[in-house]
Amino acid sequence: MENQTEVGEFILLGLTNLQELQCFLFTLFLLLYMASVLGNGAIMAVVLAEPRLHTPMHFFLGNLSCLDICYSTVTMPKMLAGFLLKHQIISFTSCLVQLHFFHFLGSSEAVLLAVMAYDRYVAICNPLRYRLVMSTQVCLLLAAATWSSGFLHALMHTVMTSQLHFCGPNHVHHFFCDIKPLLSLACSSTRLNLSLLNIITGGIVIGPFILTLLSYLYVIYFLLTE
């Protein structure tokens, strides 16, 4: 391994090689990206500007809109540039940064959805204690825990991926740097990386999903039995 040259950059192959689709896909995804940014930006602006919306529900909604804007911005500009350029080159460092923020924002959003489901559960099932349970301090703590858990989860994958050796092909069969396409290009063992990806990332996805499902099932049960 020491005698092999380390890869310093990758080539993102994008969504398709068909030239006749490039302009159509560029226009389509540009419109979708603009709609996402403008829509979520409008939600954030209204929540900040209107005092009557300074409630726990709208506080978390503002966090979700911020996450959506950042999440799409991690990949969309690079993908849009890929439709206009024949080869989309990204350095190894930039690739790791993109990977980190993609998983940071994605896992944070998954956790935030579970927090929002809990907020609705308290509001519907315990309306008299809602202000006490979902106080300002609790909301800030839940938001901080959401962003922190996503950051630490992404940091783990970023550090583990940075320790791999890439000495062979550098063509990434994707429109952004994700873990699995990169692992397929590594020259060193990726067993630990795959184990962490399956176990911890699976837990980040399945855990909030189960909590969200249970919250809404309990809400439905509460409404049907009252």
Side-chain angles (χ1 to χ4, degrees), residues 199-224:
I199 297 173
I200 298 182
T201 304
I204 287 286
V205 173
I206 296 175
F209 171 76
I210 293 175
L211 291 176
T212 302
L213 182 63
L214 290 177
S215 296
Y216 284 112
L217 287 177
Y218 194 88
V219 167
I220 294 173
Y221 173 78
F222 177 82
L223 294 176
L224 292 177

Side-chain angles (χ1 to χ4, degrees), residues 54-206:
H54 294 174
T55 63
M57 180 183 72
H58 293 95
F59 170 72
F60 293 126
L61 184 61
N63 275 263
L64 182 63
S65 296
C66 180
L67 278 171
D68 282 339
I69 292 175
C70 297
Y71 192 43
S72 57
T73 303
V74 170
T75 57
M76 289 297 290
K78 197 71 174 176
M79 183 179 70
L80 292 173
F83 290 132
L84 303 178
L85 302 175
K86 185 176 181 181
H87 294 296
Q88 188 66 6
I89 299 175
I90 184 171
S91 67
F92 181 67
T93 302
S94 298
C95 191
L96 288 179
V97 170
Q98 189 181 59
L99 181 151
H100 174 79
F101 280 97
F102 179 80
H103 284 271
F104 165 36
L105 298 167
S107 54
S108 296
E109 186 165 329
V111 176
L112 181 61
L113 291 175
V115 171
M116 295 177 72
Y118 173 73
D119 170 71
R120 292 299 84 203
Y121 157 74
V122 176
I124 296 173
C125 300
N126 296 283
L128 298 180
R129 300 182 65 244
Y130 178 65
R131 288 290 182 180
L132 178 62
V133 175
M134 300 301 294
S135 63
T136 302
Q137 293 79 7
V138 171
C139 290
L140 291 175
L141 181 62
L142 289 173
T146 295
W147 290 82
S148 299
S149 61
F151 178 82
L152 294 175
H153 168 251
L155 183 63
M156 175 198 66
H157 286 303
T158 304
V159 171
M160 292 299 299
T161 305
S162 68
Q163 301 303 309
L164 296 175
H165 295 281
F166 297 91
C167 55
N170 65 341
H171 290 74
V172 180
H173 293 272
H174 214 334
F175 60 90
F176 71 98
C177 288
D178 201 3
I179 294 178
K180 281 198 171 181
L182 288 180
L183 294 184
S184 65
L185 301 177
C187 300
S188 52
S189 174
T190 60
R191 181 175 300 178
L192 179 58
N193 300 72
L194 288 172
S195 298
L196 292 174
L197 182 64
N198 293 330
I199 297 173
I200 298 182
T201 304
I204 287 286
V205 173
I206 296 175

